[in-house]
Amino acid sequence: MPTKLILFDGVCNFCNGTVNYIMDHDDGVFQFAALQSDYARKVLSRFERQRPLPDSVLLIDGNRLYEESDAALRIAAQVRGWKWLAAFRFLPKVLRDSVYRFIARRRYRWFGKQDACRIPTPAERARFPEWQN
């Protein structure tokens, strides 16, 4: 499994645009998988949880699972142009997660969604473990 794996909503236009930006600005740090994929379900089965996972973005970094604002800010900290956003990690988590959920609940309405998950281009496939063969 990749060291730093971003699981994202594969049908969300906002999420797909964000993945495109990250791929262009992270110096190859992250790999990606759609939350709706069998690969993501398999990877997530290693993490025992008491509540459902959010359906927008998760970060697996080593053996740790980050979600909501923790995931978003940890990702931002390693992406050129977004590193300054990491400063928001010092705000109370309840506040950060409230803002995160506000945006996440409205992302389809604001940005739309696709009928199916994105399929990486041949050039992108090295960054999507489920597409590597």
Side-chain angles (χ1 to χ4, degrees):
M1 187 178 81
T3 307
K4 295 184 183 204
L5 177 66
I6 296 174
L7 302 175
F8 66 100
D9 181 351
V11 298
C12 169
N13 289 337
F14 176 72
C15 302
N16 280 297
T18 301
V19 166
N20 289 339
Y21 185 88
I22 293 169
M23 282 195 292
D24 290 342
H25 296 89
D26 76 337
D27 298 323
V29 170
F30 295 109
Q31 291 202 328
F32 307 89
L35 277 165
Q36 295 89 341
S37 69
D38 290 335
Y39 181 82
R41 280 188 284 284
K42 181 178 143 192
V43 169
L44 288 171
S45 69
R46 298 184 354 199
F47 298 93
E48 295 182 22
R49 304 215 359 108
Q50 300 301 318
R51 60 190 173 101
L53 291 165
D55 64 355
S56 49
V57 70
L58 299 169
L59 171 64
I60 298 174
D61 188 350
N63 291 320
R64 302 245 359 229
L65 174 68
Y66 299 95
E67 57 188 271
E68 296 183 321
S69 66
D70 287 334
L73 294 174
R74 285 180 177 276
I75 292 165
Q78 297 187 45
V79 176
R80 280 178 284 133
W82 288 355
K83 293 179 188 245
W84 63 272
L85 291 169
F88 288 103
R89 286 194 349 211
F90 298 104
L91 292 174
K93 182 172 172 47
V94 67
L95 175 63
R96 291 186 283 120
D97 284 348
S98 294
V99 171
Y100 177 90
R101 287 184 205 121
F102 177 84
I103 295 167
R105 280 192 305 267
R106 291 160 178 81
R107 70 189 187 278
Y108 293 152
R109 190 172 350 145
W110 292 344
F111 302 99
K113 68 185 242 183
Q114 304 294 314
D115 292 329
C117 289
R118 85 181 270 157
I119 296 175
T121 66
E124 295 172 339
R125 288 189 180 166
R127 306 282 303 270
F128 288 77
E130 68 187 307
W131 288 89
Q132 295 172 9
N133 287 335

